[in-house]
Amino acid sequence: MRCTKCKGTASIELRRHHSAFCKPHYLEFFDRQVERAIRRHKMFAPDDHILVGVSGGKDSLTLWDYLLRNEYNCTGLHIHLGIGDYSDNSFDRTASFAREREASLITVDLAESYGMGVPELSNALRRVPCSGCGLSKRYILNKEAFDRGFDVVAMGHNLDDEAATLMGNVLHWEVGSLARQQPALPSNRDTLIKRVKPLYTMTEREVAANAILRGIDYVEEECPNSVGARSIVYKNALDDIEAKSPGTKHGFVSTFLDRIRPVMETSQEDFDLRECTICGQATTGEVCAFCRMWQQARAKKEKSSKTHG
Ligand code: AMP
Ligand code: FES
Ligand code: ZN
Ligand code: ZN
């Protein structure tokens, strides 16, 4: 297999682009695609202060590495979720990445700041861990960005993540989520910080190839709670389709963004947002979903500690 650009030995074949690249040309290609996504959706300006959500996995470390190499003004935020060894390893990789590059990193420990880690929160709520975890991640990233004066929050979602989310939203006709699914979600209120996904055009495999070729030391293990998750079922189904018809994932997401979502925007409910009476963040009700969840979890934890002595 030969590199499409220089005819040297190729390291990776990209069937959906009918091309193959050697290491330097692949890295060049990857950066160009990310840069194009950032520009196309006006994700951030050169002097914006960016808060990057960093899990320690290949996607968020690749994103942070890209932003640092391109001299963006960025800081990492890692949330320690308290999921046993998985969380400890994730934190270690994130911290050593930051140390090696002298990048600034903020860490929030869920249990220390809010009283429970993900497993305890899920026990108290009797809900699957991922729901409280996802809500907490989104909330904390936004809140820290707001409190610390960042202009934008950047997340590492890749094309596989976006295609799986889109598939789930379509299969269950989650109209509100569909209307909000976009690579650059603008800030529509002071307390809601703009949220962007610069890697949304790159597949999981392409991001992993970039991370490996750049020598990024990332956590390979998946969160133990992801076993059997619906998103994995959708990802596997999409992988099967992509194998037979390369480019399907990209077509699915890009056609939705270019042709379908703009039509939905006009039908999007004009939510009457106000301030959460507890934390002040934007919400459609009196109390935001995050504060409601923690109120319930704390009440249930207290009740069960009383009944169990
Ligand atoms: P996930 O929902 O695990 O697929 O993660 C999607 C994105 O959320 C990642 O690419 C990160 O930008 C962000 N993220 C996930 N986990 C964490 C974490 N523990 N701390 C900070 N950001 C995170
Ligand atoms: Fe949140 Fe797995 S990372 S439950
Ligand atoms: Zn080449
Ligand atoms: Zn709140």
Side-chain angles (χ1 to χ4, degrees), residues 20-304:
F21 294 111
C22 65
K23 177 177 168 179
H25 284 129
Y26 179 69
L27 294 177
E28 192 184 286
F29 162 83
F30 188 91
D31 276 12
R32 208 172 40 241
Q33 297 290 318
V34 178
E35 187 191 320
R36 201 177 283 172
I38 292 171
R39 267 212 245 119
R40 180 161 184 221
H41 297 277
K42 299 187 175 61
M43 292 190 181
F44 27 73
D47 54 350
D48 273 350
H49 202 180
I50 308 166
L51 185 66
V52 196
V54 187
S55 65
K58 62 180 179 328
D59 305 304
S60 49
L61 287 182
T62 286
L63 173 59
W64 200 9
D65 173 71
Y66 172 90
L67 295 173
L68 290 166
R69 279 189 292 106
N70 288 281
E71 296 180 359
Y72 280 104
N73 185 357
C74 60
T75 296
L77 171 68
H78 177 76
I79 304 164
H80 194 299
L81 301 163
I83 310 174
D85 288 348
Y86 169 72
S87 288
D88 291 340
N89 293 340
S90 304
F91 170 69
D92 288 348
R93 296 295 164 90
T94 306
S96 38
F97 178 99
R99 223 174 12 249
E100 281 162 19
R101 289 158 180 81
E102 296 181 6
S104 68
L105 171 67
I106 301 166
T107 308
V108 173
D109 187 306
L110 196 64
E112 242 168 55
S113 303
Y114 296 94
M116 284 174 248
V118 165
E120 225 190 326
L121 176 65
S122 146
N123 273 343
L125 293 168
R126 294 196 180 81
R127 271 202 254 156
V128 290
C130 302
S131 73
C133 174
L135 176 59
S136 300
K137 284 190 231 173
R138 275 193 307 279
Y139 179 92
I140 293 170
L141 275 162
N142 184 73
K143 183 175 180 342
E144 293 294 326
F146 173 74
D147 289 349
R148 295 167 189 266
F150 283 88
D151 299 295
V152 53
V153 170
M155 321 240 335
H157 297 88
N158 58 43
L159 179 59
D160 292 59
D161 297 325
E162 291 306 291
T165 303
L166 179 58
M167 188 181 225
N169 283 340
V170 168
L171 290 176
H172 301 98
W173 291 118
E174 300 280 1
V175 178
S177 305
L178 281 169
R180 280 191 303 276
Q181 190 177 345
Q182 48 187 317
L185 190 63
S187 154
N188 59 358
R189 208 182 153 94
D190 278 359
T191 52
L192 271 184
I193 306 296
K194 180 177 180 184
R195 195 164 67 220
V196 301
K197 302 169 183 172
L199 304 185
Y200 88 98
T201 60
M202 308 309 288
T203 64
E204 204 156 298
R205 173 174 170 265
E206 290 160 3
V207 178
N210 175 83
I212 292 164
L213 293 174
R214 286 207 180 272
I216 295 173
D217 185 18
Y218 62 87
V219 191
E220 281 183 54
E221 62 184 302
E222 295 288 337
C223 166
N225 301 320
S226 70
V227 180
R230 242 199 236 163
S231 57
I232 308 271
V233 176
Y234 298 150
K235 280 187 178 176
N236 290 340
L238 286 160
D239 279 343
D240 285 348
I241 304 171
E242 180 81 16
K244 294 191 179 78
S245 174
T248 299
K249 289 176 195 171
H250 185 258
F252 185 40
V253 171
S254 64
T255 305
F256 166 72
L257 292 175
D258 293 345
R259 311 255 302 272
I260 316 294
R261 218 198 64 81
V263 183
M264 299 188 66
E265 198 140 34
T266 49
S267 68
Q268 190 184 0
E269 283 168 61
D270 194 15
F271 288 122
D272 180 20
L273 288 180
R274 46 183 152 156
E275 284 174 11
C276 167
T277 50
I278 297 178
C279 73
Q281 295 283 306
T283 173
T284 48
E286 286 255 310
V287 174
C288 76
F290 179 84
C291 290
R292 238 183 300 132
M293 174 179 81
W294 282 94
Q295 274 181 332
Q296 277 173 12
R298 288 189 193 112
K300 286 190 184 160
K301 186 182 171 189
E302 209 173 298
K303 200 168 147 201
S304 84

